[in-house]
Amino acid sequence: MRDDEVSAALLAWYDGHARVLPWRTAPADRAAGVQPDPYRVWLSEVMLQQTTVAAVRGYFLRFTGRWPDVAALAAAADPEVMAEWAGLGYYARARNLLACARAVVARHDGRFPQTLAELRALPGIGPYTAAAVAAIAFDLPATVVDGNVERVMARLHGVEVPLPAAKPVLVALAETHTPAARPGDHAQAVMDLGATVCTPRKPACGICPLWQPCAARAAGTAADLPRKRAKPAKPVRQGVVWAAFRPDGAVLLEDRPARGLLGGMLGLPGDGWDGAGGPAPVAATWHAAGEVRHTFTHFHLILAVQIARTSAAPLRGRFVRAVPADLPTLMRKAHDLAAAAIASH
Ligand code: SF4
């Protein structure tokens, strides 16, 4: 199958199987001349970064109900937008969203620019979002490559190079399939195929429009591609936290050093968690209560929780009657384990 035949097969499939999405202009409407709204395309693409379609749907409808165009969003008060964004994560994206809306109004009179270069110059718009808006909203032959597209390309062409090294190869392959006609529908077709048919674990090759030319299907490697470089195992660090309880129920807490792990946050006193050990924060007879585990970005941490009852003055930290609700998760886990253990001790 030639590149243009692959694209034709994808477009024919898309015409019959496109997902119905609140930000999408259906292929039949597109064919009838309906123009997608760049604001809705852009908003959905920003929301969809690292979030699922199912999660975004409600947010998208609320945002567009409240701020139906880019000028309305640009005029919104920051806290209101942040509040609507809550739950989507990555607040930097919400701040960039507002900055971008305001730049579109200030620089482009409230109309999204129609070139990749001008789109890229807007705040928070990277290569992916620029290509998506250019292709989907303006039907420009920009190649849109997200995780779905990478997967489809890796399988279709049997690319064995693991990610992330394979990225440039997969982008180049996706470019070879981008057609001059209907590039926006083509981009959405590849994404839809990856999301609904060529899925990560169980690709449904039997109903796939690319069954015939697909190299991975022929080789029986579909579910194994794209290959990913094995992540190095995270190191495991160990340490101790001490939970000292006074007879009145107060527990000893301390402010952690401003720099380093959980910097500046309140928690149970620890030994540094760097393997060097350290003295207990108050004189007491200590008992092991168990351990808590937590995974940070670069390592796993296992903390042995020591408990004691004591009336002695602490060497560091302070006794607190009401433990704050916003203890870091690790400290909350350690505290809850210690509190349960001391109650039955
Ligand atoms: Fe994916 Fe299978 Fe289609 Fe190949 S034939 S693109 S592996 S679903």
Side-chain angles (χ1 to χ4, degrees):
M1 219 184 234
R2 297 192 319 262
D3 290 343
D4 57 336
E5 291 173 329
V6 166
S7 176
L10 276 166
L11 283 167
W13 174 82
Y14 182 69
D15 286 341
H17 298 87
R19 286 178 293 176
V20 176
L21 302 170
W23 47 85
R24 173 172 283 174
T25 304
D29 293 338
R30 196 84 180 82
V34 176
Q35 299 290 325
D37 179 349
Y39 169 66
R40 294 168 72 86
V41 173
W42 161 75
L43 181 63
S44 65
E45 289 298 338
V46 175
M47 287 182 165
L48 283 165
Q49 286 163 25
Q50 300 176 4
T51 317
T52 63
V53 164
V56 162
R57 206 179 282 267
Y59 283 90
F60 179 84
L61 293 174
R62 276 197 302 280
F63 261 70
T64 49
R66 198 161 171 190
W67 301 295
D69 55 35
V70 69
L73 182 61
D78 291 40
E80 292 185 7
V81 174
M82 294 298 158
E84 284 289 10
W85 189 270
L88 271 175
Y90 300 97
Y91 283 87
R93 278 197 280 139
R95 280 190 286 275
N96 275 330
L97 187 84
L98 263 177
C100 184
R102 288 167 184 161
V104 169
V105 169
R107 296 182 206 164
H108 301 286
D109 204 19
R111 283 191 201 87
F112 275 84
Q114 299 197 18
T115 66
L116 272 176
E118 285 175 301
L119 286 165
R120 281 294 306 275
L122 290 167
I125 295 201
Y128 170 80
T129 309
V133 174
I136 299 169
F138 302 123
D139 223 12
L140 295 172
T143 304
V144 187
V145 184
D146 67 357
N148 286 320
V149 179
E150 284 179 352
R151 185 167 59 256
V152 172
M153 289 301 130
R155 290 172 176 174
L156 177 61
H157 293 277
V159 175
E160 290 283 341
V161 179
L163 285 168
K167 270 181 190 284
V169 179
L170 300 175
V171 170
L173 288 170
E175 279 169 355
T176 66
H177 294 294
T178 301
R182 301 181 65 192
D185 281 350
H186 170 84
Q188 294 174 96
V190 190
M191 289 194 269
D192 275 22
L193 189 77
T196 62
V197 175
C198 194
T199 53
R201 284 195 202 93
K202 287 195 179 155
C205 301
I207 57 165
C208 178
L210 304 182
W211 187 90
Q212 193 260 325
C214 182
R217 190 275 310 156
T221 56
D224 303 326
L225 298 182
R227 299 203 187 277
K228 299 204 172 97
R229 196 183 59 203
K231 284 191 189 146
K234 287 185 186 182
V236 177
R237 281 164 64 174
Q238 298 199 322
V240 176
V241 279
W242 289 283
F245 293 88
R246 247 180 7 199
D248 65 357
V251 62
L252 183 62
L253 298 179
E254 71 172 358
D255 292 312
R256 296 188 53 75
R259 301 177 137 240
L261 212 55
L262 307 179
M265 305 186 84
L266 194 61
L268 296 167
D271 70 341
W273 310 339
D274 53 7
V282 60
T285 303
W286 295 96
H287 305 276
E291 62 184 31
V292 289
R293 293 162 182 258
H294 195 75
T295 296
F296 290 91
T297 316
H298 298 299
F299 61 93
H300 302 289
L301 181 64
I302 302 175
L303 291 181
V305 181
Q306 295 279 324
I307 55 170
R309 295 185 197 278
T310 181
S311 301
L315 304 172
R316 60 184 216 253
R318 60 189 185 279
F319 279 98
V320 174
R321 293 288 298 272
V323 176
D326 59 349
L327 275 188
T329 305
L330 168 64
M331 290 298 179
R332 170 61 55 192
K333 284 195 266 187
H335 171 269
D336 291 353
L337 176 74
I342 202 80
S344 60
H345 199 265

